[in-house]
Amino acid sequence: IKDPDRYTAIQHFGFSEMEWEAISTFFKHYKMEMPEIPIIDPEFKNPLFLKIFCEAYAGRKDKTPRGHGATHVFEQYVETQSKRVLTELGLKLPRDYLWKRVIKEMGVWMGKNGKARMLRPKLLEIVAHDTNLSAHSSHLISLMEHHGLLIKYPSYARDGKRKGYGYSFTYNRFSDHLIVRSALTENKIDSPDAAKAFFLQSSFLQR
């Protein structure tokens, strides 16, 4: 940002000190049953995480999931939203298809290049490699954005002129999870010891 002193910075604390009221409002909107014991996870202070949580579980029979951490929430969210995207495209594909063919490929590229955003041409290139999705590339990206799997950002050249758009995963922690999971699955790492060895031996976390 040029001349940052010209702008006013405001720190927003989300639903801090009113988490239960926020949870009650969101659960009511998504027609989810309130848990008997108040949820005290600090993640629920974040409005975006609360929305992701509700989007992930609203369609399930068990509308008050217990014993699951943020990882399970993110996994369920990707599955739920991917199914919606494929349905709107009119494609009868496995619900993990977008994860395997687009989201994981994005995460692997981001991890290798130490970037949390991908420019649109690169994303289109990834989609173009899949015969089932290539004909729907622009619509697919728009739907992934609409259903909260991607966020679109303008990209600027050094002279300040916009040169295109880039995409990142929604919510920083959600993005971190997808990038790391992509690296682990790409390298067929399926145990805590193997994961520890992978990160110690590679420069993945040093970027």
Side-chain angles (χ1 to χ4, degrees):
I1 299 176
K2 292 183 178 180
D3 304 321
D5 293 337
R6 296 173 55 192
Y7 300 90
T8 300
I10 299 176
Q11 187 172 7
H12 195 290
F13 295 96
F15 295 134
S16 181
E17 300 184 3
M18 56 177 294
E19 295 96 317
W20 190 243
E21 292 89 340
I23 291 170
S24 177
T25 300
F26 271 68
F27 274 39
K28 182 179 180 180
H29 174 77
Y30 284 94
K31 297 179 174 58
M32 296 173 65
E33 298 175 7
M34 289 291 288
E36 296 178 2
I37 301 174
I39 300 174
I40 58 175
D41 192 319
E43 289 284 3
F44 286 90
K45 295 178 182 178
N46 188 305
L48 185 52
F49 179 83
L50 183 52
K51 181 178 183 292
I52 286 175
F53 183 91
C54 291
E55 291 279 354
Y57 294 110
R60 293 168 60 96
K61 292 181 179 179
D62 177 10
K63 294 182 183 296
T64 54
R66 299 175 179 83
H68 299 309
T71 295
H72 189 275
V73 175
F74 295 148
E75 299 286 329
Q76 184 62 36
Y77 181 74
V78 168
E79 182 177 299
T80 300
Q81 301 305 83
S82 293
K83 182 179 179 181
R84 290 173 176 169
V85 170
L86 293 174
T87 298
E88 291 189 32
L89 286 174
L91 299 176
K92 295 182 179 180
L93 297 169
R95 60 176 56 197
D96 63 349
Y97 196 86
L98 276 188
W99 155 249
K100 291 181 177 179
R101 309 310 291 264
V102 179
I103 297 173
K104 191 184 82 168
E105 293 300 316
M106 289 181 67
V108 169
W109 184 90
M110 289 174 176
K112 288 181 178 178
N113 291 276
K115 298 182 182 295
R117 295 183 186 181
M118 174 179 285
L119 292 178
R120 183 178 177 86
K122 182 61 182 179
L123 179 53
L124 287 171
E125 179 184 321
I126 289 175
V127 177
H129 286 162
D130 187 274
T131 55
N132 289 312
L133 301 176
S134 58
H136 310 276
S137 56
S138 293
H139 193 194
L140 169 66
I141 293 172
S142 295
L143 286 174
M144 290 180 71
E145 183 185 353
H146 175 72
H147 287 290
L149 291 170
L150 297 176
I151 295 179
K152 181 180 180 181
Y153 296 93
S155 176
Y156 295 95
R158 291 185 177 181
D159 60 4
K161 294 182 179 180
R162 191 176 68 195
K163 62 177 182 179
Y165 291 95
Y167 294 85
S168 72
F169 297 122
T170 311
Y171 182 41
N172 286 345
R173 188 172 174 188
F174 178 47
S175 176
D176 293 342
H177 165 79
L178 288 178
I179 293 172
V180 171
R181 183 179 179 230
S182 299
L184 295 178
T185 54
E186 176 73 5
N187 291 278
K188 297 180 174 58
I189 297 169
D190 56 4
S191 72
D193 289 340
K196 182 178 180 180
F198 169 76
F199 289 122
L200 287 174
Q201 294 171 8
S202 72
S203 60
F204 183 85
L205 295 179
Q206 300 174 15
R207 294 182 183 276

